[in-house]
Coordinates of all heavy atoms in Angstrom, one line a residue:
M1085 N -43.4 -32.4 15.8 CA -43.6 -30.9 15.7 C -42.2 -30.3 15.5 O -42.1 -29.3 14.8 CB -44.2 -30.5 17.1 CG -44.5 -29.0 17.2 SD -45.7 -28.6 16.0 CE -45.9 -26.9 16.3
R1086 N -41.1 -30.8 16.1 CA -39.8 -30.2 16.0 C -39.3 -30.4 14.5 O -38.6 -29.5 14.0 CB -38.8 -30.9 16.9 CG -39.0 -30.5 18.3 CD -37.9 -31.1 19.2 NE -38.1 -30.8 20.6 CZ -37.4 -31.2 21.6 NH1 -36.3 -32.0 21.3 NH2 -37.6 -30.9 22.8
K1087 N -39.7 -31.5 13.9 CA -39.2 -31.7 12.5 C -39.9 -30.7 11.6 O -39.3 -30.2 10.7 CB -39.6 -33.1 12.1 CG -38.7 -34.2 12.7 CD -39.1 -35.6 12.2 CE -38.2 -36.6 13.0 NZ -38.5 -37.9 12.5
V1088 N -41.1 -30.4 11.8 CA -41.9 -29.4 11.0 C -41.3 -28.0 11.2 O -41.0 -27.2 10.3 CB -43.4 -29.4 11.4 CG1 -44.1 -28.3 10.7 CG2 -44.0 -30.7 11.0
A1089 N -41.0 -27.7 12.5 CA -40.4 -26.4 12.8 C -39.0 -26.3 12.1 O -38.6 -25.2 11.6 CB -40.3 -26.2 14.3
A1090 N -38.2 -27.3 12.1 CA -36.9 -27.3 11.5 C -37.0 -27.2 10.0 O -36.2 -26.4 9.4 CB -36.1 -28.6 11.9
A1091 N -38.0 -27.8 9.4 CA -38.2 -27.7 8.0 C -38.6 -26.3 7.6 O -38.1 -25.7 6.6 CB -39.2 -28.7 7.5
V1092 N -39.5 -25.7 8.4 CA -39.9 -24.3 8.1 C -38.7 -23.3 8.3 O -38.5 -22.4 7.5 CB -41.0 -23.9 9.1 CG1 -41.3 -22.4 9.0 CG2 -42.3 -24.7 8.8
M1093 N -37.9 -23.5 9.3 CA -36.7 -22.7 9.5 C -35.7 -22.8 8.3 O -35.2 -21.9 7.8 CB -36.0 -23.0 10.8 CG -36.8 -22.7 12.0 SD -37.0 -20.9 12.2 CE -35.4 -20.5 12.7
L1094 N -35.5 -24.1 7.9 CA -34.6 -24.3 6.7 C -35.2 -23.7 5.5 O -34.4 -23.1 4.7 CB -34.4 -25.8 6.5 CG -33.4 -26.2 5.5 CD1 -32.0 -25.7 5.9 CD2 -33.4 -27.7 5.3
G1095 N -36.5 -23.7 5.3 CA -37.1 -23.1 4.1 C -36.9 -21.6 4.2 O -36.7 -20.9 3.2
L1096 N -37.1 -21.0 5.4 CA -36.9 -19.5 5.5 C -35.5 -19.1 5.3 O -35.3 -18.0 4.8 CB -37.4 -19.1 6.9 CG -38.9 -19.2 7.2 CD1 -39.2 -18.9 8.6 CD2 -39.6 -18.2 6.3
I1097 N -34.6 -19.9 5.6 CA -33.1 -19.6 5.5 C -32.7 -19.7 4.0 O -32.0 -18.8 3.5 CB -32.2 -20.5 6.3 CG1 -32.5 -20.1 7.8 CG2 -30.8 -20.3 6.0 CD1 -31.8 -21.1 8.7
T1098 N -33.2 -20.7 3.3 CA -32.8 -20.9 1.9 C -33.6 -20.1 0.9 O -33.1 -20.0 -0.3 CB -32.8 -22.4 1.6 OG1 -34.2 -22.9 1.7 CG2 -31.9 -23.2 2.4
A1099 N -34.7 -19.6 1.2 CA -35.5 -18.9 0.2 C -34.8 -17.7 -0.4 O -34.9 -17.5 -1.6 CB -36.9 -18.5 0.9
P1100 N -34.2 -16.8 0.4 CA -33.5 -15.7 -0.3 C -32.4 -16.1 -1.2 O -32.1 -15.5 -2.2 CB -33.0 -14.9 0.9 CG -33.8 -15.3 2.1 CD -34.2 -16.7 1.8
A1101 N -31.7 -17.2 -0.9 CA -30.6 -17.6 -1.7 C -31.1 -18.2 -3.0 O -30.5 -18.0 -4.1 CB -29.8 -18.7 -1.0
L1102 N -32.2 -18.9 -3.0 CA -32.8 -19.4 -4.2 C -33.5 -18.4 -5.0 O -33.7 -18.6 -6.2 CB -33.8 -20.6 -3.9 CG -33.2 -21.8 -3.2 CD1 -34.2 -22.8 -2.8 CD2 -32.2 -22.5 -4.1
A1103 N -33.9 -17.3 -4.5 CA -34.6 -16.2 -5.2 C -33.7 -15.4 -6.1 O -34.1 -14.7 -7.0 CB -35.3 -15.3 -4.2
Q1104 N -32.3 -15.5 -5.9 CA -31.4 -14.7 -6.7 C -31.3 -15.3 -8.1 O -31.3 -16.5 -8.3 CB -30.0 -14.7 -6.0 CG -30.0 -14.0 -4.7 CD -28.6 -14.0 -4.1 OE1 -27.7 -14.6 -4.6 NE2 -28.5 -13.3 -3.0
D1105 N -31.2 -14.4 -9.1 CA -31.1 -14.8 -10.5 C -29.7 -15.4 -10.8 O -29.6 -16.5 -11.1 CB -31.4 -13.7 -11.4 CG -32.8 -13.2 -11.4 OD1 -33.7 -14.1 -11.1 OD2 -33.1 -12.1 -11.7
H1106 N -28.7 -14.6 -10.6 CA -27.4 -15.0 -10.9 C -26.4 -14.3 -10.0 O -26.4 -13.1 -9.9 CB -27.0 -14.7 -12.4 CG -25.6 -15.0 -12.7 ND1 -25.2 -16.3 -12.8 CD2 -24.6 -14.3 -13.0 CE1 -23.9 -16.3 -13.2 NE2 -23.5 -15.1 -13.3
V1107 N -25.5 -15.0 -9.4 CA -24.5 -14.5 -8.5 C -23.2 -14.6 -9.3 O -22.8 -15.7 -9.7 CB -24.4 -15.2 -7.2 CG1 -23.2 -14.6 -6.4 CG2 -25.6 -15.2 -6.4
P1108 N -22.5 -13.5 -9.7 CA -21.3 -13.5 -10.5 C -20.2 -14.2 -9.7 O -20.0 -13.9 -8.5 CB -21.0 -12.1 -10.8 CG -21.8 -11.3 -9.8 CD -22.9 -12.1 -9.4
M1109 N -19.5 -15.1 -10.3 CA -18.3 -15.8 -9.7 C -17.1 -14.9 -9.8 O -17.1 -13.8 -10.5 CB -18.0 -17.1 -10.4 CG -19.2 -18.0 -10.4 SD -19.6 -18.4 -8.7 CE -19.8 -20.1 -8.8
Y1110 N -16.1 -15.2 -9.1 CA -14.8 -14.5 -9.0 C -14.2 -14.4 -10.4 O -14.0 -15.4 -11.1 CB -13.8 -15.1 -8.1 CG -12.5 -14.3 -8.0 CD1 -12.4 -13.1 -7.3 CD2 -11.4 -14.8 -8.7 CE1 -11.2 -12.4 -7.3 CE2 -10.2 -14.1 -8.6 CZ -10.1 -12.9 -7.9 OH -8.9 -12.3 -7.9
G1111 N -14.0 -13.2 -10.9 CA -13.3 -13.0 -12.2 C -14.3 -12.9 -13.3 O -13.9 -12.7 -14.5
E1112 N -15.6 -13.2 -13.1 CA -16.6 -13.2 -14.1 C -17.0 -11.7 -14.5 O -17.2 -10.9 -13.6 CB -17.8 -14.0 -13.7 CG -18.9 -14.1 -14.7 CD -20.1 -14.9 -14.2 OE1 -19.9 -15.5 -13.2 OE2 -21.1 -14.9 -14.9
Q1113 N -17.0 -11.4 -15.7 CA -17.3 -10.1 -16.2 C -18.8 -9.9 -16.2 O -19.5 -10.8 -16.7 CB -16.7 -9.8 -17.6 CG -15.2 -9.8 -17.6 CD -14.6 -8.7 -16.8 OE1 -15.1 -7.6 -16.7 NE2 -13.5 -9.0 -16.2
T1114 N -19.3 -8.8 -15.8 CA -20.7 -8.5 -15.8 C -20.9 -7.4 -16.9 O -20.1 -6.6 -17.2 CB -21.3 -8.0 -14.5 OG1 -20.5 -6.8 -14.1 CG2 -21.1 -9.0 -13.4
D1115 N -22.1 -7.5 -17.5 CA -22.4 -6.5 -18.6 C -22.8 -5.2 -17.9 O -23.6 -5.2 -17.0 CB -23.6 -7.0 -19.4 CG -23.2 -8.3 -20.2 OD1 -22.0 -8.4 -20.5 OD2 -24.1 -9.1 -20.5
K1116 N -22.2 -4.1 -18.4 CA -22.5 -2.8 -17.8 C -23.2 -1.9 -18.8 O -22.9 -2.0 -20.0 CB -21.2 -2.1 -17.3 CG -20.5 -2.8 -16.2 CD -19.3 -2.0 -15.7 CE -18.6 -2.7 -14.6 NZ -17.5 -2.0 -14.1
T1117 N -24.0 -1.1 -18.3 CA -24.7 -0.1 -19.2 C -23.7 1.0 -19.5 O -22.7 1.1 -18.9 CB -26.0 0.4 -18.6 OG1 -25.6 1.2 -17.4 CG2 -26.9 -0.7 -18.2
E1118 N -24.1 1.8 -20.5 CA -23.2 2.9 -20.9 C -23.1 3.9 -19.7 O -22.0 4.5 -19.5 CB -23.8 3.6 -22.1 CG -23.8 2.8 -23.4 CD -22.4 2.4 -23.8 OE1 -21.5 3.3 -23.7 OE2 -22.2 1.3 -24.2
S1119 N -24.1 4.1 -19.0 CA -24.0 5.1 -17.9 C -23.1 4.5 -16.8 O -22.3 5.3 -16.1 CB -25.4 5.4 -17.3 OG -25.9 4.2 -16.7
Q1120 N -23.1 3.2 -16.5 CA -22.2 2.6 -15.6 C -20.7 2.7 -16.0 O -19.8 2.9 -15.3 CB -22.6 1.2 -15.3 CG -23.9 1.0 -14.5 CD -24.3 -0.5 -14.4 OE1 -23.9 -1.3 -15.3 NE2 -25.0 -0.8 -13.4
K1121 N -20.5 2.5 -17.3 CA -19.2 2.6 -17.9 C -18.7 4.0 -17.8 O -17.5 4.3 -17.4 CB -19.2 2.2 -19.4 CG -19.4 0.7 -19.6 CD -19.4 0.4 -21.0 CE -19.7 -1.1 -21.3 NZ -19.8 -1.4 -22.7
A1122 N -19.5 5.0 -18.0 CA -19.2 6.4 -17.9 C -18.9 6.8 -16.5 O -17.9 7.5 -16.2 CB -20.3 7.3 -18.5
D1123 N -19.6 6.2 -15.5 CA -19.4 6.5 -14.1 C -18.0 5.9 -13.7 O -17.3 6.5 -12.9 CB -20.5 5.8 -13.3 CG -21.8 6.6 -13.4 OD1 -21.8 7.8 -13.8 OD2 -22.8 6.0 -13.0
D1124 N -17.7 4.7 -14.2 CA -16.4 4.1 -13.9 C -15.2 5.0 -14.4 O -14.2 5.1 -13.8 CB -16.3 2.7 -14.5 CG -17.2 1.7 -13.8 OD1 -17.6 2.0 -12.6 OD2 -17.4 0.6 -14.3
I1125 N -15.4 5.5 -15.6 CA -14.4 6.3 -16.2 C -14.2 7.6 -15.4 O -13.1 8.0 -15.1 CB -14.7 6.6 -17.7 CG1 -14.6 5.4 -18.5 CG2 -13.8 7.7 -18.3 CD1 -15.1 5.5 -19.9
R1126 N -15.3 8.2 -15.0 CA -15.2 9.4 -14.2 C -14.6 9.2 -12.9 O -13.8 10.0 -12.4 CB -16.6 10.0 -14.0 CG -17.1 10.9 -15.2 CD -18.3 11.7 -14.8 NE -19.5 10.9 -14.4 CZ -20.4 10.4 -15.2 NH1 -20.3 10.7 -16.5 NH2 -21.4 9.7 -14.8
A1127 N -14.9 8.0 -12.3 CA -14.3 7.7 -11.0 C -12.8 7.5 -11.1 O -12.1 7.9 -10.2 CB -15.0 6.4 -10.4
E1128 N -12.4 6.8 -12.2 CA -11.0 6.6 -12.4 C -10.2 7.9 -12.6 O -9.1 8.1 -12.1 CB -10.8 5.7 -13.6 CG -9.3 5.3 -13.9 CD -8.7 4.5 -12.8 OE1 -9.4 3.8 -12.1 OE2 -7.4 4.6 -12.7
R1129 N -10.8 8.8 -13.4 CA -10.2 10.1 -13.6 C -10.1 10.9 -12.3 O -9.1 11.6 -12.0 CB -10.9 10.9 -14.6 CG -10.7 10.4 -16.0 CD -11.5 11.2 -17.0 NE -11.3 10.6 -18.4 CZ -12.1 10.9 -19.4 NH1 -13.2 11.7 -19.2 NH2 -11.9 10.3 -20.5
A1130 N -11.1 10.9 -11.5 CA -11.1 11.6 -10.2 C -10.1 11.0 -9.3 O -9.4 11.7 -8.6 CB -12.5 11.5 -9.5
Y1131 N -9.9 9.7 -9.3 CA -8.9 9.0 -8.5 C -7.5 9.5 -9.0 O -6.6 9.8 -8.1 CB -9.0 7.5 -8.6 CG -7.9 6.7 -8.0 CD1 -7.8 6.7 -6.6 CD2 -6.9 6.0 -8.8 CE1 -6.7 6.0 -6.0 CE2 -5.9 5.3 -8.2 CZ -5.8 5.3 -6.8 OH -4.8 4.6 -6.2
Q1132 N -7.2 9.5 -10.3 CA -5.9 10.0 -10.8 C -5.7 11.4 -10.4 O -4.5 11.8 -10.1 CB -5.9 9.8 -12.3 CG -5.8 8.3 -12.7 CD -4.6 7.6 -12.2 OE1 -3.6 8.1 -12.0 NE2 -4.8 6.3 -11.9
R1133 N -6.7 12.3 -10.5 CA -6.5 13.7 -10.1 C -6.2 13.8 -8.6 O -5.4 14.6 -8.2 CB -7.8 14.5 -10.4 CG -7.9 14.9 -11.8 CD -9.0 16.0 -12.0 NE -10.3 15.6 -11.3 CZ -11.3 15.0 -11.9 NH1 -11.2 14.7 -13.2 NH2 -12.4 14.7 -11.2
S1134 N -6.8 13.0 -7.8 CA -6.5 13.0 -6.3 C -5.1 12.6 -6.1 O -4.5 13.1 -5.1 CB -7.6 12.2 -5.6 OG -7.3 10.8 -5.8
L1135 N -4.6 11.6 -6.8 CA -3.2 11.2 -6.7 C -2.2 12.3 -7.0 O -1.2 12.5 -6.4 CB -2.9 10.0 -7.5 CG -3.5 8.7 -7.0 CD1 -3.1 7.5 -8.0 CD2 -3.1 8.3 -5.6
N1136 N -2.6 13.1 -8.0 CA -1.7 14.2 -8.4 C -1.7 15.4 -7.4 O -0.8 16.2 -7.3 CB -2.2 14.8 -9.8 CG -1.9 13.8 -10.9 OD1 -1.0 13.0 -10.8 ND2 -2.6 13.9 -12.0
N1137 N -2.7 15.4 -6.5 CA -2.8 16.5 -5.5 C -2.0 16.2 -4.3 O -1.8 17.0 -3.4 CB -4.3 16.7 -5.1 CG -5.1 17.3 -6.2 OD1 -4.6 17.9 -7.1 ND2 -6.4 17.1 -6.1
V1138 N -1.5 15.0 -4.2 CA -0.7 14.6 -3.0 C 0.7 15.2 -3.2 O 1.4 15.0 -4.2 CB -0.5 13.0 -2.9 CG1 0.4 12.7 -1.8 CG2 -1.9 12.4 -2.7
P1139 N 1.2 16.0 -2.2 CA 2.5 16.6 -2.4 C 3.7 15.6 -2.3 O 3.5 14.6 -1.7 CB 2.6 17.6 -1.2 CG 1.7 17.0 -0.2 CD 0.6 16.3 -1.0
N1140 N 4.8 15.9 -3.0 CA 5.9 15.1 -2.9 C 6.5 15.2 -1.5 O 6.7 16.3 -1.0 CB 7.0 15.4 -3.9 CG 6.5 15.1 -5.3 OD1 5.7 14.2 -5.5 ND2 7.0 15.9 -6.3
Q1141 N 6.9 14.1 -0.9 CA 7.5 14.2 0.4 C 9.0 14.0 0.4 O 9.5 13.2 -0.4 CB 6.8 13.1 1.3 CG 5.4 13.3 1.5 CD 4.7 12.4 2.5 OE1 5.4 11.5 3.0 NE2 3.5 12.5 2.7
K1142 N 9.7 14.7 1.3 CA 11.1 14.5 1.3 C 11.5 13.2 2.0 O 10.7 12.6 2.7 CB 11.7 15.7 2.1 CG 11.3 15.8 3.5 CD 11.9 17.0 4.2 CE 11.3 17.1 5.6 NZ 11.9 18.2 6.3
A1143 N 12.7 12.8 1.8 CA 13.2 11.5 2.3 C 13.2 11.6 3.8 O 13.6 12.6 4.4 CB 14.5 11.2 1.7
V1144 N 12.8 10.5 4.4 CA 12.8 10.5 5.9 C 14.0 9.6 6.4 O 14.2 8.5 5.8 CB 11.5 9.8 6.4 CG1 11.4 9.7 7.9 CG2 10.3 10.7 5.9
D1145 N 14.7 10.1 7.4 CA 15.8 9.4 8.0 C 15.4 9.0 9.4 O 15.5 9.8 10.3 CB 17.0 10.2 8.0 CG 18.2 9.5 8.5 OD1 18.2 8.2 8.6 OD2 19.3 10.1 8.7
P1146 N 14.8 7.8 9.6 CA 14.4 7.5 11.0 C 15.5 7.4 12.0 O 15.2 7.6 13.2 CB 13.7 6.1 10.8 CG 14.3 5.5 9.5 CD 14.7 6.7 8.7
W1147 N 16.7 7.2 11.6 CA 17.8 7.1 12.6 C 18.5 8.5 12.7 O 19.6 8.5 13.4 CB 18.8 6.0 12.2 CG 18.2 4.7 12.4 CD1 17.6 3.9 11.5 CD2 18.2 3.9 13.6 NE1 17.1 2.7 12.1 CE2 17.5 2.7 13.4 CE3 18.7 4.2 14.9 CZ2 17.3 1.8 14.4 CZ3 18.5 3.2 15.9 CH2 17.8 2.0 15.6
G1148 N 18.0 9.5 12.1 CA 18.7 10.8 12.1 C 18.9 11.3 13.5 O 19.9 11.9 13.9
A1149 N 17.9 11.2 14.4 CA 18.0 11.7 15.8 C 19.0 10.9 16.6 O 19.7 11.4 17.4 CB 16.6 11.6 16.5
A1150 N 19.2 9.6 16.3 CA 20.2 8.8 17.0 C 21.6 9.1 16.6 O 22.5 9.1 17.4 CB 19.9 7.3 16.8
R1151 N 21.8 9.5 15.3 CA 23.1 9.8 14.9 C 23.5 11.2 15.2 O 24.7 11.5 15.3 CB 23.2 9.6 13.4 CG 23.4 8.2 12.9 CD 23.8 8.1 11.5 NE 22.8 8.8 10.6 CZ 21.8 8.1 10.0 NH1 21.7 6.8 10.1 NH2 21.0 8.8 9.2
G1152 N 22.6 12.1 15.2 CA 22.9 13.5 15.5 C 22.8 14.2 14.1 O 22.9 13.6 13.1
D1153 N 22.8 15.5 14.2 CA 22.7 16.3 13.0 C 24.0 16.3 12.1 O 24.0 16.3 10.9 CB 22.4 17.8 13.3 CG 21.0 17.9 13.9 OD1 20.1 17.0 13.6 OD2 20.7 18.9 14.6
D1154 N 25.2 16.3 12.8 CA 26.4 16.4 12.1 C 26.7 15.1 11.3 O 27.3 15.1 10.3 CB 27.6 16.7 13.0 CG 27.4 18.1 13.6 OD1 26.7 19.0 13.0 OD2 27.9 18.3 14.7
A1155 N 26.4 14.0 11.9 CA 26.7 12.7 11.3 C 26.0 12.4 10.0 O 26.5 11.8 9.1 CB 26.5 11.6 12.3
S1156 N 24.8 12.9 9.9 CA 24.0 12.6 8.7 C 24.4 13.5 7.6 O 24.2 13.1 6.4 CB 22.5 12.8 9.0 OG 22.3 14.2 9.4
K1157 N 25.1 14.6 7.8 CA 25.4 15.5 6.7 C 26.9 15.3 6.2 O 27.2 15.6 5.1 CB 25.3 17.0 7.2 CG 23.9 17.3 7.5 CD 23.8 18.7 8.0 CE 22.3 19.1 8.3 NZ 22.2 20.4 8.9
K1158 N 27.8 14.7 7.1 CA 29.1 14.5 6.7 C 29.3 13.2 6.0 O 28.8 12.2 6.5 CB 30.1 14.6 7.9 CG 30.1 15.9 8.5 CD 31.1 15.9 9.7 CE 31.1 17.3 10.4 NZ 32.0 17.2 11.6
P1159 N 30.1 13.1 4.9 CA 30.3 11.8 4.3 C 31.3 11.0 5.1 O 32.1 11.6 5.9 CB 30.9 12.2 2.9 CG 31.5 13.5 3.1 CD 30.6 14.2 4.1
A1160 N 31.4 9.8 4.9 CA 32.3 8.9 5.7 C 33.7 9.2 5.3 O 34.0 9.4 4.1 CB 32.0 7.4 5.4
K1161 N 34.6 9.2 6.2 CA 36.0 9.5 6.0 C 36.7 8.3 5.5 O 36.5 7.2 6.0 CB 36.7 10.1 7.2 CG 36.2 11.4 7.7 CD 36.9 11.9 8.9 CE 36.4 13.2 9.4 NZ 37.1 13.7 10.5
P1162 N 37.7 8.4 4.6 CA 38.4 7.2 4.1 C 39.4 6.8 5.3 O 39.8 7.6 6.1 CB 39.2 7.6 2.9 CG 39.2 9.1 3.0 CD 38.0 9.6 3.8
A1163 N 39.7 5.5 5.3 CA 40.6 5.0 6.3 C 42.0 5.6 6.1 O 42.5 5.8 5.0 CB 40.7 3.5 6.2
V1164 N 42.6 5.9 7.2 CA 44.0 6.5 7.2 C 45.0 5.4 7.2 O 44.9 4.5 8.0 CB 44.2 7.4 8.5 CG1 45.6 8.0 8.5 CG2 43.2 8.5 8.5
K1165 N 45.9 5.5 6.2 CA 47.0 4.4 6.1 C 48.2 4.9 6.8 O 48.7 6.0 6.6 CB 47.3 4.1 4.7 CG 46.1 3.5 3.9 CD 46.5 3.2 2.5 CE 45.4 2.6 1.8 NZ 45.7 2.3 0.4
H1166 N 48.7 4.1 7.7 CA 50.0 4.4 8.5 C 51.1 3.8 7.8 O 51.1 2.6 7.3 CB 49.9 3.9 9.9 CG 48.8 4.6 10.7 ND1 48.9 5.9 11.2 CD2 47.6 4.2 11.1 CE1 47.8 6.2 11.8 NE2 47.0 5.2 11.8
S1167 N 52.3 4.5 7.8 CA 53.5 4.0 7.1 C 54.2 3.1 8.2 O 54.1 3.3 9.4 CB 54.4 5.1 6.6 OG 54.8 5.8 7.7
S1168 N 54.9 2.1 7.7 CA 55.6 1.2 8.6 C 56.9 1.8 9.0 O 57.6 1.2 9.9 CB 55.8 -0.1 7.9 OG 56.6 0.0 6.8
K1169 N 57.4 2.9 8.4 CA 58.7 3.5 8.8 C 58.6 4.2 10.1 O 57.6 4.8 10.4 CB 59.2 4.4 7.7 CG 59.5 3.8 6.4 CD 59.9 4.8 5.4 CE 60.2 4.2 4.1 NZ 60.6 5.2 3.1
A1170 N 59.6 4.1 10.9 CA 59.7 4.9 12.1 C 60.1 6.3 11.8 O 60.8 6.6 10.9 CB 60.7 4.3 13.1
K1171 N 59.5 7.2 12.6 CA 59.8 8.7 12.4 C 61.2 9.0 12.8 O 61.6 8.5 13.9 CB 58.8 9.5 13.1 CG 57.4 9.5 12.5 CD 56.5 10.4 13.3 CE 55.1 10.4 12.7 NZ 54.2 11.3 13.4
S1172 N 61.8 9.8 12.1 CA 63.2 10.2 12.5 C 63.1 11.5 13.3 O 62.2 12.3 13.1 CB 64.1 10.4 11.3 OG 63.6 11.4 10.5
G1173 N 63.9 11.6 14.2 CA 63.9 12.8 15.1 C 63.4 12.5 16.4 O 62.6 11.6 16.6
S1174 N 63.8 13.2 17.4 CA 63.4 12.9 18.7 C 62.7 14.2 19.3 O 62.9 15.3 18.9 CB 64.5 12.5 19.6 OG 65.4 13.6 19.8
T1175 N 61.8 13.9 20.2 CA 61.0 15.0 20.8 C 61.7 15.5 22.1 O 61.3 16.5 22.6 CB 59.6 14.7 21.0 OG1 59.5 13.5 21.8 CG2 58.9 14.4 19.6
A1176 N 62.6 14.7 22.6 CA 63.2 15.0 23.9 C 64.3 16.0 23.7 O 65.1 15.8 22.8 CB 63.7 13.7 24.6
N1177 N 64.5 17.0 24.6 CA 65.6 17.9 24.5 C 66.5 17.7 25.7 O 66.5 17.5 26.7 CB 65.1 19.3 24.5 CG 64.5 19.7 23.2 OD1 64.9 19.1 22.2 ND2 63.6 20.6 23.2

């Protein structure tokens, strides 16, 4: 009895898979009707229009708060070169 029940269950599981005409494989092109092609073209145009509606965003500085406002606006200062000569003159009176 168990073997018959298992065979019936297996038949019920595989019947929908065998009833399909053709399952397209990966990369396989399917034939489309003219209305499907027109729908695809309209969908692509709508997608491109929606991309044009997205506003341009300004550059984001994630470390701006850590550096502070002044540090992000000022350019880096060049290194100061010290001369090896001793200064003449004294400061003591």
Side-chain angles (χ1 to χ4, degrees):
M1085 184 67 179
R1086 287 186 183 179
K1087 290 181 182 181
V1088 173
V1092 169
M1093 291 295 285
L1094 187 62
L1096 289 173
I1097 292 172
T1098 58
L1102 295 175
Q1104 294 180 356
D1105 290 334
H1106 176 70
V1107 177
M1109 299 300 222
Y1110 179 76
E1112 183 178 347
Q1113 298 294 325
T1114 58
D1115 295 332
K1116 294 184 178 181
T1117 63
E1118 292 299 321
S1119 64
Q1120 289 174 334
K1121 290 178 184 177
D1123 289 341
D1124 288 345
I1125 291 171
R1126 279 195 298 272
E1128 182 65 28
R1129 287 181 183 160
Y1131 173 70
Q1132 291 299 327
R1133 278 194 312 267
S1134 70
L1135 288 179
N1136 290 335
N1137 292 338
V1138 176
N1140 292 334
Q1141 296 186 2
K1142 60 183 178 179
V1144 177
D1145 186 13
W1147 288 94
R1151 282 193 300 265
D1153 292 335
D1154 296 335
S1156 63
K1157 294 178 184 174
K1158 293 181 183 178
K1161 294 181 180 180
V1164 178
K1165 294 182 180 179
H1166 295 286
S1167 64
S1168 61
K1169 295 180 183 179
K1171 290 184 179 180
S1172 63
S1174 63
T1175 57
N1177 285 333

